[in-house]
Amino acid sequence: MTYIEGFVAAVPETTKAAYTKHASDAFPLFKEFGVSRMVETWESDVPDGKVTDFRRAVKARPDEKIVFSWFEYPSKAARDAANEKMMSDPRMAEAGKDMPFDGKRMIFGGFDTISDKGAPAGTGYVNGSLFAVPNANKADFTAFAKQMADIFTEYGATRVLDAWGNDVPAGKVTDFQGAVQARDDETVLFGWIEWASKADSEAGWEKIMGDPRMADAKVPFDGQRMVFGGFEPIVDLS
């Protein structure tokens, strides 16, 4: 089962080109370590929330944009081996010297895939989301995620993936738990929806919100603390 390393960062808008180049140049090294796919997406439609949102998650400043990104690995074992290599490889230390963003505010963690429908196919737009789900509701959320994946792909999504927090460290400045105000009995989830284009996403969402199955679906988490937004891919390498 695919294992996900998820990231959210605040990047100065003026350094978008430098960030894109930095990420693209680093991929050959990540691929060598075992990453099967790396995706970096740039804020397109990221709303402010009443309780939680992406900007608060990484303490974004007015001149910064949100980057929602992930690595895909064939397994957790592959990810753990890759991280061990990264920690000891001097090339990683060299690459980290000139990062075009504040790494102290980046949030990251490892996630077990619990639902994955479709496949990446010329992804042109991504809806990214974070959830806090009670541990007791894992089975219910898995069923809910698969139901939603069926609906979304029916209306044009090319891939829908949801992953359950497995190795999500607490941070000194920011972290995934703080992003969704997770309680002690809850786990953070990282997920996304891929579309061929932003236009396809907008048309799909309009149909989805009018589907009676959405009104009937039982949501096994606190929707007020869900974090979500729309993003345009700037790097998608495999």
Side-chain angles (χ1 to χ4, degrees), residues 52-72:
T52 57
D53 57 44
F54 273 116
R55 302 198 67 78
R56 277 181 270 193
V58 290
K59 299 184 178 181
R61 298 165 184 154
D63 65 334
E64 294 176 325
K65 295 294 185 181
I66 304 302
V67 169
F68 178 90
S69 58
W70 69 87
F71 292 164
E72 297 182 32

Side-chain angles (χ1 to χ4, degrees), residues 121-132:
T123 300
Y125 199 71
V126 170
N127 294 131
S129 55
L130 310 175
F131 311 84

Side-chain angles (χ1 to χ4, degrees), residues 216-227:
D216 294 337
K218 294 182 180 179
V219 180
F221 61 92
D222 179 2
Q224 292 186 334
R225 288 183 286 133
M226 175 184 169
V227 175

Side-chain angles (χ1 to χ4, degrees), residues 46-125:
V46 177
D48 293 334
K50 292 182 179 180
V51 181
T52 57
D53 57 44
F54 273 116
R55 302 198 67 78
R56 277 181 270 193
V58 290
K59 299 184 178 181
R61 298 165 184 154
D63 65 334
E64 294 176 325
K65 295 294 185 181
I66 304 302
V67 169
F68 178 90
S69 58
W70 69 87
F71 292 164
E72 297 182 32
Y73 291 95
S75 66
K76 184 178 186 299
R79 177 265 197 172
D80 291 345
N83 279 355
E84 186 173 345
K85 293 174 185 175
M86 290 179 193
M87 293 298 290
S88 60
D89 195 305
R91 293 174 295 175
M92 288 298 297
E94 187 65 27
K97 286 182 179 179
D98 299 312
M99 293 193 300
F101 67 100
D102 180 5
K104 292 180 181 178
R105 288 183 286 129
M106 180 179 76
I107 60 178
F108 62 93
F111 301 82
D112 280 317
T113 297
I114 58 173
S115 176
D116 185 2
K117 184 177 178 67
T123 300
Y125 199 71

Side-chain angles (χ1 to χ4, degrees), residues 159-182:
R159 188 186 186 193
V160 184
L161 186 145
D162 287 286
W164 186 269
N166 167 274
D167 181 13
V168 184
K172 293 182 179 180
V173 181
T174 55
D175 55 34
F176 275 116
Q177 288 84 350
V180 291
Q181 297 182 14

